């Protein structure tokens, strides 16, 4: 650990000194300056986590959410998080969508850096969701489950031999094509006048996925070129109509490679654009190669996704080496727009992206994921007795969604899934409208009561509270008054005390702050000075300390 980092930890913990964002990583001639967060009236408060009675609340952990890049910078956000909180969570930035590219290559460089650093300082990490519907490696999954190539034979769709025809009975958009008898002294030929638009072959069905080759034999008196349209699709090259050249004086073989336009049903090849010479056509042959892919069978998709989840979990846990011991197993699985026959909400399914549960089956979704992750955790040095998996879900203040989550967890438990807890994502707003605020409190208390009945470990995350005035308008961080900030802080304290009182001590997995400093909303334990960008403790900081200490 470098000298600068040791000094910063010591000084932050002592409540005395630190460095600004701009100077945080400068280690030459290091001199600590006063931390602007240690100002009246909160300068004498210690780190937030120091106020929690670990004897009374042995399982409770305080978490902070950061981006991986912000954490690895090791500036003020990093120092504030590790000094005041027990663990750090990284949201979606350690999920497969941020790590696996479409070819299945996994980039764990940021994760390696942060885990090595966290291990060095004796901290802990709460793991990002292992499986979800969003922020997954969709490009990789789509590649793995793409249709399989199969051998196919070309199909001859149509042959038109004008050398034996006596009369042209086809289609002409303009001009008057006709059969020229004994054109070259031997055989007949189709005569296409200048500036005509003539279907030289037509009357066959098109395969929308087929790749077509149309070959025709043409002769002109002067060097000429034609433009071709195949099944409503004008052939182009480099953004312009492609011209097919025909040299004068001999029969020339012209080959057109084309695909039908989307939605086209009638097959034809039309030629046009011959401004200088009549074009004579002898023979036209249409051949297409049908799509050489077939969809994977349901069993093949299942095997493929089992391979994918095993590969992802193995890569993740190999880098982890047993260091992250608690993970969200599945994130945001419940679909409030789809009901089962029993009235419970279904899991999310998609006609566009392939979700794990679409193929693995809703009942086996969590069991398959938890087994793959558990096995990989143990195989790469983890202690199975220390591993904890949570089901992460938002909107659980909706009683039906809460009941639906309990329903699915019960099914997954019966199918031998490892599910230790529920990670309830909060979406809270303080309102100056007393009726709204009382409703919010009642809804929160009801949620905590419901969570307590599950018998699972309970973690609250996304713990940010926005502020609304009496009209329902959001109050921004730059506009909030000291009185409003105190009301907001008091509500933070209410949530923490309610959690500690309603959730049994042995089931308290902890609370995780969404943003530790203000964003555009006044959600932080610290506000951000608009000029210096330094952090200043807010009333919410004190509210955390008071609530955790039982005040």
């Amino acid at each position: 650990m470098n000298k600068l980092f040791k000094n910063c930890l010591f000084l932050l913990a002592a409540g005395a000194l630190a460095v600004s964002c701009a100077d945080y990583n400068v280690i030459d001639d290091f001199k600590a300056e006063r931390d602007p967060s240690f100002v009246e009236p909160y300068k004498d408060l210690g780190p937030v986590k120091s106020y929690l009675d670990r004897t009374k609340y042995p399982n409770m952990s305080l978490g902070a959410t950061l981006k991986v890049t912000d954490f690895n910078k090791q500036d003020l956000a990093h120092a504030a998080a590790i000094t005041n909180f027990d663990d750090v969570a990284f949201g979606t930035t350690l999920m497969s969508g941020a790590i696996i590219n479409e070819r299945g290559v996994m980039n764990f460089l940021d994760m390696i850096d942060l885990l090595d650093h966290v291990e060095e300082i004796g901290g802990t990490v709460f793991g990002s969701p292992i499986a979800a519907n969003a922020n997954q490696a969709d490009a990789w999954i789509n590649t793995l489950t793409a249709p399989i190539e199969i051998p196919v034979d070309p199909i001859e769709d149509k042959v038109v031999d004008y050398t034996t025809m006596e009369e042209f009975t086809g289609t002409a958009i303009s001009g008057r094509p006709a059969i020229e008898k004994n054109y070259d002294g031997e055989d007949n030929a189709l005569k296409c006048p200048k500036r005509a638009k003539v279907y030289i072959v037509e009357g066959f069905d098109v395969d929308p996925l087929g790749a077509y080759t149309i070959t025709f034999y043409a002769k002109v008196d002067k060097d000429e070129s034609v433009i071709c349209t195949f099944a409503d699709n004008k052939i182009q090259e480099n953004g312009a109509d492609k011209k097919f050249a025909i040299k004068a004086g001999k029969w020339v073989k012209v080959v057109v490679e084309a695909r039908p336009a989307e939605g086209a049903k009638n097959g034809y090849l039309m030629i046009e654009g011959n401004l200088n010479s009549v074009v004579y056509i002898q023979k036209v042959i249409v051949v297409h190669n049908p799509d050489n892919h077939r969809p994977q069978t349901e069993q093949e998709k299942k095997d493929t996704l089992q391979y994918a989840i095993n590969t992802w979990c193995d890569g993740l846990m190999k880098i982890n080496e047993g260091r992250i011991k608690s993970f969200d197993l599945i994130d945001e699985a419940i679909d409030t727009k789809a009901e089962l026959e029993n009235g419970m909400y279904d899991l999310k399914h998609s006609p566009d992206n392939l979700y794990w549960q679409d193929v693995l089956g809703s009942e086996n979704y969590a069991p398959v994921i938890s087994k793959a992750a558990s096995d990989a955790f143990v195989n790469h040095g983890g202690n199975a007795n220390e591993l904890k998996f949570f089901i992460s879900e938002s909107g659980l203040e909706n009683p039906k969604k809460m009941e639906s989550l309990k329903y699915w967890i019960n099914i997954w438990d019966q199918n031998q899934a490892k599910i230790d807890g529920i990670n309830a994502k909060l979406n809270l707003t303080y309102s100056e409208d007393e009726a709204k605020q009382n409703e919010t409190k009642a809804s929160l208390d009801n949620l905590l009561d419901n969570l307590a009945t599950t018998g699972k470990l309970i973690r609250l995350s996304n713990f940010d509270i926005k502020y609304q005035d009496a009209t329902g308008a959001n109050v921004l961080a730059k506009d909030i008054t000291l009185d409003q900030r105190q009301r907001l802080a008091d509500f933070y304290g209410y949530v923490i005390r309610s959690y500690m009182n309603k959730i049994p001590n042995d089931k308290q997995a902890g609370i995780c702050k969404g943003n530790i400093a203000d964003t555009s909303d006044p959600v932080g334990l610290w506000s951000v000075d608009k000029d210096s960008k330094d952090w200043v403790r807010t009333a919410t900081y004190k509210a955390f300390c008071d609530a955790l200490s039982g005040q």
Side-chain angles (χ1 to χ4, degrees):
M1 189 185 302
N2 63 50
K3 174 183 176 183
L4 170 62
F5 187 66
K6 288 181 180 177
N7 285 342
C8 288
L9 276 184
F10 172 76
L11 295 171
L12 275 171
L17 305 170
V19 287
S20 70
C21 290
D23 297 329
Y24 191 86
N25 287 314
V26 179
I27 60 174
D28 297 333
D29 300 321
F30 169 67
K31 293 180 181 179
E33 303 293 339
R34 287 195 61 80
D35 182 347
S37 75
F38 296 108
V39 297
E40 298 290 358
Y42 310 118
K43 67 177 183 179
D44 295 327
L45 293 173
V48 172
K49 65 184 179 183
S50 67
Y51 289 87
L52 183 62
D53 185 342
R54 303 292 175 170
T55 302
K56 187 175 181 180
Y57 304 102
N59 293 326
M60 186 168 170
S61 176
L62 295 176
T65 303
L66 268 69
K67 293 180 180 179
V68 172
T69 50
D70 289 342
F71 184 83
N72 284 343
K73 286 178 185 176
Q74 298 185 24
D75 58 18
L76 282 182
H78 165 278
I82 62 175
T83 304
N84 289 279
F85 298 88
D86 298 310
D87 60 65
V88 183
F90 295 99
T92 64
T93 51
L94 294 183
M95 293 176 68
S96 63
I99 291 174
I100 309 177
N101 70 13
E102 64 180 4
R103 293 178 289 116
V105 177
M106 301 185 189
N107 181 358
F108 286 105
L109 292 179
D110 284 341
M111 185 174 175
I112 292 170
D113 286 345
L114 77 88
L115 285 181
D116 289 346
H117 176 57
V118 169
E119 185 175 36
E120 181 183 16
I121 64 177
T124 57
V125 172
F126 187 90
S128 296
I130 293 173
N133 304 316
N135 301 300
Q136 293 294 279
D138 292 327
W140 180 50
I141 297 301
N142 290 338
T143 298
L144 289 176
T145 57
I148 297 172
E149 288 191 9
I150 56 175
V152 295
D153 294 323
I155 297 173
E156 187 174 85
D157 297 274
K158 186 99 174 184
V159 176
V160 178
D161 186 355
Y162 289 108
T163 64
T164 61
M165 286 189 181
E166 296 293 323
E167 182 181 359
F168 177 71
T169 57
T171 301
I173 303 301
S174 63
R176 294 185 178 182
I179 297 298
E180 181 86 6
K181 295 184 178 180
N182 298 318
Y183 164 68
D184 57 1
E186 296 181 8
D187 299 312
N188 297 347
L190 173 65
K191 177 182 179 181
C192 299
K194 296 178 184 180
R195 296 178 175 84
K197 295 182 178 180
V198 182
Y199 284 24
I200 63 172
V201 63
E202 59 184 309
F204 56 93
D205 295 331
V206 293
D207 178 352
L209 299 178
Y212 282 79
T213 300
I214 307 93
T215 304
F216 64 92
Y217 295 85
K219 191 174 182 181
V220 293
D221 296 329
K222 298 178 182 178
D223 286 355
E224 184 59 282
S225 63
V226 293
I227 297 168
C228 297
T229 298
F230 175 74
D232 301 341
N233 183 25
K234 183 172 279 190
I235 314 304
Q236 295 196 319
E237 186 175 54
N238 299 322
D241 294 339
K242 183 174 181 178
K243 295 183 178 181
F244 294 84
I246 307 171
K247 289 290 184 180
K250 61 180 179 179
W251 287 105
V252 176
K253 179 180 179 181
V254 181
V255 179
V256 179
E257 304 284 351
R259 290 184 179 273
E262 184 176 355
K265 296 181 179 179
N266 299 320
Y268 66 86
L269 183 75
M270 181 182 76
I271 65 169
E272 60 179 309
N274 51 315
L275 305 179
N276 301 314
S277 176
V278 172
V279 177
Y280 293 90
I281 305 296
Q282 193 176 52
K283 191 174 186 181
V284 187
I285 304 167
V286 181
V287 175
H288 87 275
N289 292 310
D291 181 32
N292 64 332
H293 298 83
R294 66 161 178 82
Q296 292 188 26
T297 66
E298 288 305 307
Q299 185 60 49
E300 286 171 337
K301 283 186 179 179
K302 186 175 181 180
D303 293 343
T304 298
L305 284 193
Q306 184 68 64
Y307 160 80
I309 194 63
N310 288 343
T311 301
W312 160 234
C313 288
D314 186 73
L316 175 67
M317 297 305 181
K318 182 177 181 179
I319 298 301
N320 182 39
E321 297 178 321
R323 292 175 285 188
I324 302 176
K325 305 179 192 303
S326 294
F327 292 85
D328 278 335
L329 181 71
I330 292 172
D331 182 55
E332 301 280 4
I334 306 297
D335 185 357
T336 57
K337 297 179 180 179
E339 288 188 3
L340 302 171
E341 291 182 358
N342 61 7
M344 294 292 101
Y345 288 133
D346 195 2
L347 300 187
K348 292 175 181 174
H349 300 278
S350 173
D352 301 317
N353 292 321
L354 186 62
Y355 290 168
W356 303 100
Q357 60 270 28
D358 291 339
V359 177
L360 300 175
S362 297
E363 293 80 5
N364 293 318
Y365 180 31
V368 170
I369 304 295
S370 69
K371 183 178 188 308
S374 298
D375 290 349
F377 181 81
V378 172
N379 290 341
H380 293 290
N383 183 341
N385 295 325
E386 297 176 335
L387 180 62
K388 298 290 186 292
F389 286 146
F390 291 75
I391 303 298
S392 177
E393 192 62 68
S394 63
L396 294 178
E397 63 275 5
N398 176 344
K400 183 172 178 178
K401 190 171 188 181
M402 182 71 222
E403 287 303 307
S404 299
L405 179 63
K406 290 164 67 175
Y407 166 80
W408 283 108
I409 288 178
N410 182 57
I411 287 179
W412 293 335
D413 280 341
Q414 291 177 8
N415 288 342
Q416 309 305 310
K418 175 178 173 55
I419 300 174
D420 302 283
I422 296 172
N423 186 8
K425 297 180 182 179
L426 300 180
N427 183 21
L428 297 173
T429 299
Y430 175 86
S431 175
E432 290 181 357
D433 183 310
E434 185 176 358
K436 283 186 178 180
Q437 184 59 19
N438 288 336
E439 184 179 333
T440 297
K441 285 184 176 181
S443 177
L444 171 70
D445 289 340
N446 185 58
L447 167 62
L448 293 172
D449 288 336
N450 273 331
L451 288 169
T453 65
T454 66
K456 300 287 187 181
L457 294 170
I458 302 300
R459 181 176 187 264
L460 303 183
S461 63
N462 196 38
F463 187 28
D464 286 350
I465 305 178
K466 296 182 179 181
Y467 193 101
Q468 286 185 354
D469 64 20
T471 69
N474 284 347
V475 176
L476 302 179
K478 66 182 180 63
D479 300 322
I480 195 166
T481 66
L482 291 177
D483 177 66
Q484 289 173 323
R485 180 78 79 167
Q486 186 59 58
R487 294 187 206 178
L488 181 61
D490 291 343
F491 188 38
Y492 271 105
Y494 178 86
V495 176
I496 296 171
R497 286 188 292 272
S498 295
Y499 171 82
M500 296 171 73
N501 291 333
K502 289 180 174 292
I503 304 300
N505 290 16
D506 64 337
K507 301 301 181 184
Q508 294 175 2
I511 295 174
C512 184
K513 192 72 179 69
N515 288 279
I516 57 177
D518 283 350
T519 60
S520 58
D521 294 302
V523 294
L525 280 71
W526 289 265
S527 62
V528 182
D529 186 271
K530 64 180 181 179
D531 297 319
S532 68
K533 303 304 180 184
D534 285 320
W535 290 20
V536 180
R537 288 174 176 177
T538 69
T540 300
Y541 189 105
K542 185 176 187 302
F544 265 69
C545 298
D546 289 346
L548 293 170
S549 63
Q551 296 183 32

